[in-house]
Amino acid sequence: MSLKSKDLLGMQHLTFEEINSVITSAKSFMEIATRPIKKVPVLRGKTVANLFFEPSTRTRISFELAARRLSADVINIPALISSAASGETLTDLAKTIEAMTVDFIVVRHSMAGAPHQLARQIKSSVINAGDGSHEHPTQALVDLYTTKEKKGYIEGLRVAIIGDILHSRSAKSNIWGLKTMGADVVLIGPRTLIPPGLERLGVDISFSMEEGLEGVDVIILSRVEMTEENRALLPSLREYSRFYCLTEERLASAKKDVLVMHSGSMNRGVEISPQVADGAYSVIIEQVTNGVAVNMAVLYLLAGGKK
Amino acid sequence: MDYLLKNGRLMDPATGTDEVGDILLQRGKVEALGADLQPMGAEVVDVGNLLVVPGLIDMHVHLREPGREDKETIASGTRAAAIGGFTSLVCKANTGLIMDEPSVVGFVFSRAFRQGLVNVFPVGAVTKGLLGQGLTGFGSLALAGVVALSDDGSCVSDAQMMRSALEYAASVGLLVVSHAEDMALTGHGSVTEGYTSTVLGLEGIPVESETTMVARDCLLAEQTGGRLHIAHASTAGSLHAVKSAQERRVDVSCETAPHYFSLTEEATWDYDTSAKMNPPLRSEEDRRMVVSALREGTVSIIASDHAPHTLEEKDISFQEAAFGIIGLETTLPLVITNLVEAGHLTMMEALAKITCNPARRLELSGKGSLQEGCDADITVIDPSAEVVVGEFLSKGRNSPFIGEKLHGRAEYVFVGGKMVVTEGRLVDERAFSGH
């Protein structure tokens, strides 16, 4: 088993078989977390660099743990200013990293496409850990893995993605991944936060929770914030939560055995009520545990899939 | 030195002439056209099987000097123009030091006189510093020699400012060139809004950012009786607005750039910053509308919007990268390959859009025609020569066409009777390389 490309840049171009490989490998890596010594020698002698141009705790730690459990050496490079601001071109950056003979580069960047531009210029494997509003493939793989674990299958499930779809990279990755795996996708949110052109991807769109959640098997929430870019798109968080907060009442429209996931850090009371977040349908904490195993699987498969 | 070009196919879109014959260039002018002309001391150049056309005119070029000589200079930009077949170019006012004062215009003229290889016609700014706050001295700029007024690179956002610009410019007889863009709709966008912006995760620029301003400026030109020219039209809606204004006899002309009939937004799908320009590449439907507007005549002019940038401004993330691509050296082969060979325009129709049409719109006397008495600005084209895009005399390398195989090359170029390009190469590299 392996992935076709040297990099994992997005879900857009991953095949059904590749996604299944990640899910299968992740399942075997889950077991390692239960051992007293949580380490296998799969990536011994390899170096993983976490290159984060944007602050992130969860994703960085998850990758760091994944790499360490595979016996790789890990370096964290917090590069909090963009290339343009530092006067460094992407080519300069690529050459610098190449010169350090790093095997894997996990990149988080506020600018969409930056990991792709970097990956073109270097031999190391690049893993996109979130680029602007573009993609966050490992988060989608975690959500797919969790769905498969809980439901036993993905094909034919109806999945609702709710929130700021326009700016959510996880939502974009989830749309590609879910469509590839044969799920039905409905996007729910205020019209201004649903990006244009999605009809070409074969998804349903709803502006109402009651209508959109009807018969849904899985719910994936994304974080909604009052950012500067949302100034002209969203009146207020209060207005948002009044119509789109996932409450127990609204959850009743979904299937009885619905699964509730969140693909980021929660904004309680805005996109999810505390009762739902901590309720019986929620697998939000399990997603975090699964995340380490999925990241291990991705590193393992990019290394060629040989133990 | 005088020249006699023998046995060329003389094509003059200004008169419709299309015949095999000779043309005699003497003392910087076209002295005679006809069959079997005698050299009378002129050097004879055999141009059999080649097209002899009026020197090409590019009415939309960013030369960057003064102030951004790291991107381009008048010397390098005019060399790129010459090798691309252009004998005249119109340079925009958004130079490092803005062309909003006669002294800056004077500097450009003097540089062009000493180091320029082709004719340089500057455009003056509409507003001081291109800031949109107050009009420049149109009369003084006209006396300094500008051929048009434009804040190109920025839009004159304030409608009252644009209205008075059109009114005032009409009184001094100058054309106002509109860079039509609603900055609020553009926001921080970098590609066309829709499927492309969604899938790339980049903020989108809706087509309405351009279309609404084109419509506004057409209405203001109608109200004021001003002379308006729409730069780099790229959307179906803009072309519709221009066509409807032209039908109402509003004095509005319109240009497009080769990338809008050659490429679509798909060229940005791998985050290639050399395909990032403003307006951004549009949908296939818009591209087809641009082609049909070229055919119908709504768009009478093709201009490169040559916008050189440094590597540091392009080799960064897509959103942060500078807008603009170079075009002086690719416009002629793109026109020939994608419009003439593709069957959309005849060679004569295509040539009109880069010769007599811009000359007439800008009222450049003696330019854009082969007629006797005109300036001896001549381009000799081999329309079937294969060119692989990749080498540039421009300082910029920001072209999405690198590696493409196209047809059409300027074999000889004469500017004011002086030969500057021979057999597809500059006549004297050395004379213009050092300064």
Side-chain angles (χ1 to χ4, degrees):
Chain A
M1 280 193 302
S2 66
L3 298 176
K4 275 182 285 182
S5 162
K6 76 172 175 71
D7 311 299
L8 176 63
L9 298 173
M11 297 300 289
Q12 187 180 358
H13 301 294
L14 278 195
T15 63
F16 180 86
E17 289 75 22
E18 288 176 306
I19 294 172
N20 264 334
S21 305
V22 175
I23 292 173
T24 310
S25 304
K27 195 169 172 60
S28 68
F29 284 121
M30 272 301 279
E31 184 265 330
I32 291 168
T34 64
R35 296 182 192 173
I37 296 170
K38 301 177 178 59
K39 226 171 169 98
V40 288
V42 170
L43 294 183
R44 195 164 55 197
K46 303 280 184 192
T47 310
V48 177
N50 281 325
L51 186 60
F52 278 56
F53 289 90
E54 200 181 64
S56 154
T57 310
R58 294 155 53 108
T59 307
R60 188 182 59 71
I61 289 175
S62 181
F63 268 105
E64 185 164 348
L65 266 180
R68 288 190 193 283
R69 286 182 181 171
L70 295 172
S71 307
D73 294 314
V74 182
I75 49 168
N76 290 308
I77 310 173
L80 294 178
I81 54 170
S82 68
S83 304
S86 71
E88 188 179 48
T89 65
L90 281 167
T91 306
D92 291 334
L93 180 62
K95 283 180 180 161
T96 305
I97 294 166
E98 194 95 276
M100 291 189 248
T101 61
V102 169
D103 302 285
F104 298 91
I105 301 160
V106 180
V107 186
R108 161 68 62 91
H109 207 292
S110 58
M111 296 294 165
H116 306 65
Q117 293 170 283
L118 200 59
R120 281 203 278 269
Q121 306 191 52
I122 51 180
K123 291 190 214 74
S124 323
S125 289
V126 174
I127 299 169
N128 179 4
D131 62 325
S133 304
H134 178 225
E135 281 226 45
H136 191 344
T138 55
Q139 182 61 52
L141 289 167
V142 171
D143 298 349
L144 289 167
Y145 175 83
T146 308
T147 304
K148 180 83 184 287
E149 276 303 288
K150 291 286 164 186
K151 294 283 177 193
Y153 61 97
I154 298 171
E155 192 174 348
L157 290 177
R158 185 158 175 85
V159 182
I161 305 176
I162 310 171
D164 184 353
I165 314 293
L166 177 64
H167 297 110
S168 170
R169 47 197 172 210
S170 302
K172 266 49 160 285
S173 288
N174 264 318
I175 294 169
W176 292 116
L178 287 163
K179 292 308 290 181
T180 302
M181 299 313 282
D184 264 350
V185 177
V186 56
L187 306 176
I188 309 173
R191 189 162 188 158
T192 46
L193 297 181
I194 306 275
L198 283 169
E199 54 284 356
R200 276 174 73 175
L201 302 182
V203 296
D204 296 330
I205 290 166
S206 175
F207 308 123
S208 140
M209 288 286 267
E210 286 68 22
E211 177 197 284
L213 286 177
E214 184 109 13
V216 154
D217 299 286
V218 179
I219 295 171
I220 304 176
L221 296 161
S222 69
R223 188 176 167 85
V224 177
E225 289 176 288
M226 213 48 225
T227 54
E228 178 57 26
E229 54 201 350
N230 276 347
R231 194 172 45 87
L233 304 174
L234 187 62
S236 69
L237 291 181
R238 186 185 297 267
E239 170 91 358
Y240 178 85
S241 77
R242 180 155 182 201
F243 294 94
Y244 296 101
C245 182
L246 187 64
T247 57
E248 286 178 309
E249 198 184 358
R250 286 183 177 135
L251 205 52
S253 306
K255 285 221 181 115
K256 291 236 168 336
D257 58 347
V258 68
L259 207 59
V260 175
M261 297 197 278
H262 197 295
S263 55
S265 53
M266 282 185 282
N267 213 349
R268 283 172 186 261
V270 177
E271 69 263 4
I272 187 166
S273 76
Q275 292 80 0
V276 174
D278 305 325
Y281 305 109
S282 167
V283 289
I284 294 170
I285 293 302
E286 281 171 66
Q287 283 177 280
V288 180
T289 309
N290 296 345
V292 179
V294 165
N295 290 343
M296 287 170 82
V298 166
L299 286 165
Y300 161 72
L301 291 170
L302 286 176
K306 290 182 286 290
K307 293 214 181 181
Chain B
M1 176 74 76
D2 296 335
Y3 293 94
L4 175 63
L5 313 186
K6 295 284 289 181
N7 303 317
R9 180 173 162 197
L10 307 176
M11 292 186 81
D12 186 359
T15 59
T17 303
D18 182 1
E19 60 197 22
V20 173
D22 305 342
I23 180 167
L24 180 64
L25 313 180
Q26 236 173 29
R27 292 179 299 277
K29 300 282 178 193
V30 175
E31 179 66 25
L33 297 119
D36 294 322
L37 294 184
Q38 293 308 303
M40 319 227 296
E43 185 174 322
V44 177
V45 182
D46 180 14
V47 293
N49 299 319
L50 301 176
L51 309 182
V52 177
V53 310
L56 310 183
I57 300 168
D58 189 342
M59 93 173 260
H60 195 145
V61 174
H62 297 275
L63 282 182
R64 308 299 189 199
E65 190 176 1
R68 285 309 303 266
E69 293 81 358
D70 52 333
K71 292 179 193 250
E72 194 79 285
T73 62
I74 290 166
S76 64
T78 55
R79 290 164 83 235
I83 208 78
F86 291 95
T87 58
S88 294
L89 61 82
V90 174
C91 59
K92 291 296 164 98
N94 65 339
T95 34
L97 189 59
I98 308 296
M99 280 200 276
D100 56 1
E101 283 286 339
S103 58
V104 187
V105 177
F107 171 86
V108 169
F109 272 124
S110 71
R111 259 300 143 100
F113 179 75
R114 285 190 290 136
Q115 298 178 351
L117 206 48
V118 304
N119 304 300
V120 172
F121 295 102
V123 169
V126 173
T127 65
K128 291 177 193 129
L130 307 181
L131 296 172
Q133 309 285 322
L135 296 181
T136 58
F138 292 1
S140 311
L141 287 168
L143 287 177
V146 304
V147 293
L149 296 162
S150 182
D151 273 3
D152 186 72
S154 312
C155 181
V156 179
S157 296
D158 185 320
Q160 172 61 16
M161 192 70 67
M162 188 61 173
R163 186 176 78 139
S164 49
L166 282 160
E167 267 176 349
Y168 194 166
S171 71
V172 294
L174 283 175
L175 184 68
V176 177
V177 180
S178 163
H179 168 113
E181 179 182 19
D182 184 314
M183 298 313 295
L185 285 175
T186 293
H188 297 105
S190 49
V191 291
T192 294
E193 185 180 280
Y195 179 80
T196 295
S197 62
T198 296
V199 167
L200 292 178
L202 292 165
E203 200 177 311
I205 302 176
V207 291
E208 290 74 16
S209 169
E210 174 183 321
T211 307
T212 56
M213 277 296 174
V214 169
R216 181 201 77 172
D217 288 348
C218 286
L219 291 170
L220 292 176
E222 183 166 26
Q223 185 213 8
T224 57
R227 298 177 64 223
L228 176 67
H229 176 76
I230 302 295
H232 46 54
S234 71
T235 76
S238 299
L239 300 168
H240 181 76
V242 169
K243 186 178 178 184
S244 131
Q246 286 170 344
E247 283 165 0
R248 299 194 308 274
R249 306 209 166 269
V250 179
D251 189 357
V252 55
S253 55
C254 183
E255 114 212 344
T256 194
H259 33 281
Y260 302 120
F261 60 72
S262 302
L263 297 173
T264 68
E265 55 195 337
E266 283 193 35
T268 62
W269 285 0
D270 61 354
Y271 297 98
D272 180 0
T273 60
S274 65
K276 180 181 176 182
M277 76 284 288
N278 191 12
L281 292 171
R282 305 294 191 182
S283 66
E284 173 61 14
E285 195 189 333
D286 286 310
R287 191 196 67 82
R288 282 170 203 245
M289 282 305 293
V290 168
V291 171
S292 79
L294 281 162
R295 212 165 35 215
E296 285 178 8
T298 310
V299 175
S300 58
I301 292 166
I302 297 168
S304 71
D305 196 1
H306 178 80
H309 291 294
T310 63
L311 185 71
E312 306 87 89
E313 292 164 313
K314 280 293 194 179
D315 186 11
I316 49 179
S317 75
F318 197 92
Q319 195 192 309
E320 295 165 296
F323 285 104
I325 68 168
I326 55 172
L328 280 167
E329 294 162 85
T330 47
T331 293
L332 177 63
L334 287 168
V335 166
I336 290 177
T337 310
N338 294 338
L339 293 178
V340 181
E341 287 182 355
H344 300 304
L345 297 180
T346 64
M347 183 63 82
M348 194 68 97
E349 288 165 341
L351 288 170
K353 296 184 195 293
I354 41 177
T355 58
C356 59
N357 291 354
R360 283 172 187 156
R361 192 59 181 153
L362 292 161
E363 299 176 333
L364 305 177
S365 68
K367 305 291 183 201
S369 174
L370 291 179
Q371 283 169 282
E372 285 168 17
C374 282
D375 294 340
D377 292 352
I378 307 290
T379 301
V380 180
I381 300 167
D382 179 351
S384 55
E386 187 176 286
V387 290
V388 181
V389 180
E391 283 179 37
F392 301 103
L393 293 181
S394 166
K395 286 190 173 189
R397 294 291 176 274
N398 45 312
S399 168
F401 299 108
I402 290 173
E404 282 211 24
K405 279 192 185 128
L406 303 169
H407 291 122
R409 182 171 61 193
E411 293 296 323
Y412 298 92
V413 176
F414 299 86
V415 179
K418 184 169 176 283
M419 184 193 270
V420 296
V421 170
T422 178
E423 293 173 349
R425 299 189 152 274
L426 287 191
V427 169
D428 191 350
E429 293 271 351
R430 288 159 302 168
F432 298 95
S433 59
H435 45 87

